């Protein structure tokens, strides 16, 4: 299994600068804000997004202060979006720990999320690059759009794969594509390289989300830090279940669509929907689609010379496909 630490090797220096400034970005004289921000900082994730930003910059040229500020801004925006998502989804656990809204209730969680989002935009301004600032501010709109689209799809029990992918592109892949494209922009890469890296990040994000969706059917809560079947309980029809519904015989499909329409998500019904998706080839199909996208992502990097940085970018993709949580 590829480790994130392996991939980080050629951008160790960038991460040292990032870590120092990222911690400073959470500092506050406000007592409540300081406590919550410290909690968020100490429970940060694997930092895949800054990793993609640094590698995408470095494959185009030497990294700059603008690269570091871009990575900080995007990781802050990601953090803010998670705080807000947990409120919207009534989620009380994140990465195996209690969420901000679980510990401090919604009012404080909303305000903390807003503060971190504002800090993200403030740091984006430090890049003094209008293209980067434009992409990051537009990203905030896309994330909200994706969340609202997902809510609408859940309400209507959407079973269209193209609409599913549209949600992924807005809600998950958009952030990854801004990381990769802005990394390239931060070192003044040409338009072709920016566009290729933008597409790599977009496809990476699709693979990342499909993998997350698979976990909802075949993992344990201990492994992934949230209850299995959680997406179904929220009315979200993700790729494994979507495929099963679209390929099952009509009588069987109608039985499970009834549960979804009526939001009858008892433990027994959620377990039935999970087993239905597994028995009807939903997991195999999702894995196949993930590998289809992986091949497209590999092709987006064909204009770059082979070398360590290109290898590490491809390793990030392989890591997200092979990860266990």
């Amino acid at each position: 299994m590829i480790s994130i630490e392996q991939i980080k090797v050629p951008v160790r220096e960038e991460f040292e600068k990032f870590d120092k400034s990222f911690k400073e970005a959470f500092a506050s004289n406000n007592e409540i804000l300081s406590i919550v921000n410290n909690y968020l900082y100490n429970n940060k994730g694997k930092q895949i997004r800054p990793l993609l930003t640094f590698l995408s910059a470095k494959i185009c040229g030497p990294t700059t202060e603008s690269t570091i500020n871009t990575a900080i801004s995007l990781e802050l925006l990601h953090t803010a979006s998670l705080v807000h998502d947990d409120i919207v989804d009534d989620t009380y656990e994140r990465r195996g720990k209690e969420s901000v809204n679980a510990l401090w209730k919604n009012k404080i969680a909303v305000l903390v999320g807003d503060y971190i989002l504002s800090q993200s935009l403030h740091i984006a301004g430090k890049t003094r690059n209008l293209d980067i600032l434009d992409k990051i501010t537009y990203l905030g709109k896309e994330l909200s759009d994706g969340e609202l689209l997902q809510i609408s799809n859940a309400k209507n029990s959407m079973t269209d794969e193209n609409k599913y992918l549209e949600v992924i592109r807005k809600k998950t892949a958009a952030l990854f594509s801004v990381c990769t494209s802005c990394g390239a922009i931060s070192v003044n890469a040409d338009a072709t390289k920016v566009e290729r890296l933008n597409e790599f990040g977009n496809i990476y994000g699709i693979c990342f989300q499909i993998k997350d969706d698979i976990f909802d059917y075949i993992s344990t809560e201990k492994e992934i830090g949230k209850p299995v079947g959680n997406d179904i309980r929220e009315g979200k029809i993700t790729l494994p279940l979507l495929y099963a519904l679209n390929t099952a015989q009509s009588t069987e499909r109608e039985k499970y669509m009834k549960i979804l329409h009526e939001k009858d998500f008892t433990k027994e019904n959620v377990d039935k929907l999970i087993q239905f998706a597994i028995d009807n080839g939903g997991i195999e199909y999702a894995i196949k689609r993930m590998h289809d996208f992986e091949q497209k992502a590999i092709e987006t990097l064909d204009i770059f010379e082979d070398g360590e940085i290109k290898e590490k970018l491809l390793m990030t993709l392989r890591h997200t496909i092979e990860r266990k949580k």
Side-chain angles (χ1 to χ4, degrees):
M1 174 69 188
I2 298 166
S3 74
I4 292 297
E5 292 308 310
Q6 281 179 276
I7 303 171
K8 280 185 177 180
V9 171
V11 287
R12 287 280 183 209
E13 186 178 337
E14 285 80 3
F15 262 104
E16 286 175 10
K17 295 175 182 176
F18 169 88
D19 287 336
K20 181 176 181 294
S21 297
F22 188 61
K23 187 172 185 178
E24 290 172 357
F26 279 95
S28 172
N29 293 325
N30 182 298
E31 185 179 357
I32 294 177
L33 196 55
S34 180
I35 291 169
V36 181
N37 281 354
N38 282 336
Y39 180 79
L40 286 167
Y41 177 79
N42 290 327
N43 289 289
K44 57 186 181 293
K46 297 175 184 176
Q47 300 184 323
I48 296 286
R49 292 151 193 87
L51 177 58
L52 285 168
T53 304
F54 296 145
L55 290 173
S56 297
K58 209 155 191 172
I59 202 171
C60 299
T63 56
T64 64
E65 185 179 351
S66 178
T67 310
I68 306 300
N69 282 325
T70 296
I72 294 168
S73 173
L74 288 165
E75 189 68 357
L76 286 170
L77 193 154
H78 170 58
T79 303
S81 73
L82 294 182
V83 172
H84 285 154
D85 281 356
D86 288 342
I87 298 166
V88 171
D89 295 337
D90 292 321
T91 300
Y92 300 108
E93 195 170 298
R94 169 71 61 180
R95 300 181 182 127
K97 304 283 186 179
E98 288 180 282
S99 61
V100 172
N101 52 304
L103 290 170
W104 288 281
K105 308 306 178 187
N106 286 352
K107 186 181 292 186
I108 288 177
V110 168
L111 292 170
V112 168
D114 289 348
Y115 177 88
I116 295 170
L117 175 60
S118 299
Q119 181 73 315
S120 164
L121 298 177
H122 172 68
I123 291 174
K126 291 184 178 182
T127 65
R128 299 293 186 267
N129 187 309
L130 287 177
D131 288 339
I132 290 175
L133 190 57
D134 182 60
K135 277 183 169 286
I136 291 175
T137 53
Y138 184 80
L139 172 61
K141 187 179 79 168
E142 285 289 274
L143 293 176
S144 298
D145 190 4
E147 188 70 42
L148 288 165
L149 185 60
Q150 185 172 64
I151 291 170
S152 174
N153 287 344
K155 184 178 180 181
N156 298 316
S157 300
M158 180 278 302
T159 58
D160 183 289
E161 185 172 325
N162 288 330
K163 288 185 178 179
Y164 162 82
L165 291 173
E166 184 184 2
V167 170
I168 288 181
R169 288 190 178 96
K170 289 177 178 289
K171 192 171 182 292
T172 303
L175 179 52
F176 288 111
S177 66
V178 172
C179 288
T180 49
S181 59
C182 283
I185 293 168
S186 75
V187 297
N188 299 314
D190 64 54
T192 301
K193 289 180 179 178
V194 170
E195 182 52 39
R196 288 297 189 99
L197 286 163
N198 181 79
E199 186 57 17
F200 177 83
N202 176 57
I203 298 171
Y204 175 96
I206 292 171
C207 291
F208 184 95
Q209 189 59 57
I210 291 175
K211 184 71 173 185
D212 261 10
D213 293 344
I214 292 170
F215 284 146
D216 202 52
Y217 293 84
I218 61 172
S219 294
T220 66
E221 182 171 352
K222 185 177 179 181
E223 287 173 325
I224 61 175
K226 67 174 184 178
V228 176
N230 198 54
D231 288 341
I232 293 173
R233 275 183 287 273
E234 292 173 3
K236 299 172 186 174
I237 303 177
T238 56
L239 195 55
L241 181 56
L242 187 153
Y243 176 79
L245 289 168
N246 285 334
T247 56
Q249 293 184 349
S250 59
T251 52
E252 193 176 22
R253 171 189 163 92
E254 286 168 11
K255 179 173 72 171
Y256 290 106
M257 285 301 296
K258 185 175 185 289
I259 294 172
L260 293 163
H261 281 309
E262 294 178 355
K263 313 295 182 190
D264 186 14
F265 300 131
T266 61
K267 183 182 186 306
E268 181 184 3
N269 281 342
V270 170
D271 288 345
K272 284 180 180 177
L273 284 162
I274 289 171
Q275 198 59 49
F276 167 69
I278 292 170
D279 292 345
N280 284 273
I283 304 302
E284 288 83 357
Y285 178 76
I287 291 170
K288 176 186 178 300
R289 292 294 284 136
M290 189 166 55
H291 286 301
D292 290 342
F293 281 113
E294 178 190 18
Q295 188 55 46
K296 290 180 181 178
I298 292 168
E299 290 168 7
T300 65
L301 299 185
D302 61 11
I303 65 167
F304 296 96
E305 290 184 13
D306 292 340
E308 183 182 21
I309 304 302
K310 181 175 177 178
E311 178 189 359
K312 298 300 184 187
L313 270 172
L314 292 173
M315 282 174 70
T316 62
L317 183 63
R318 175 51 49 185
H319 173 271
T320 205
I321 288 170
E322 293 180 351
R323 64 196 167 99
K324 304 300 180 185
K325 62 180 180 178

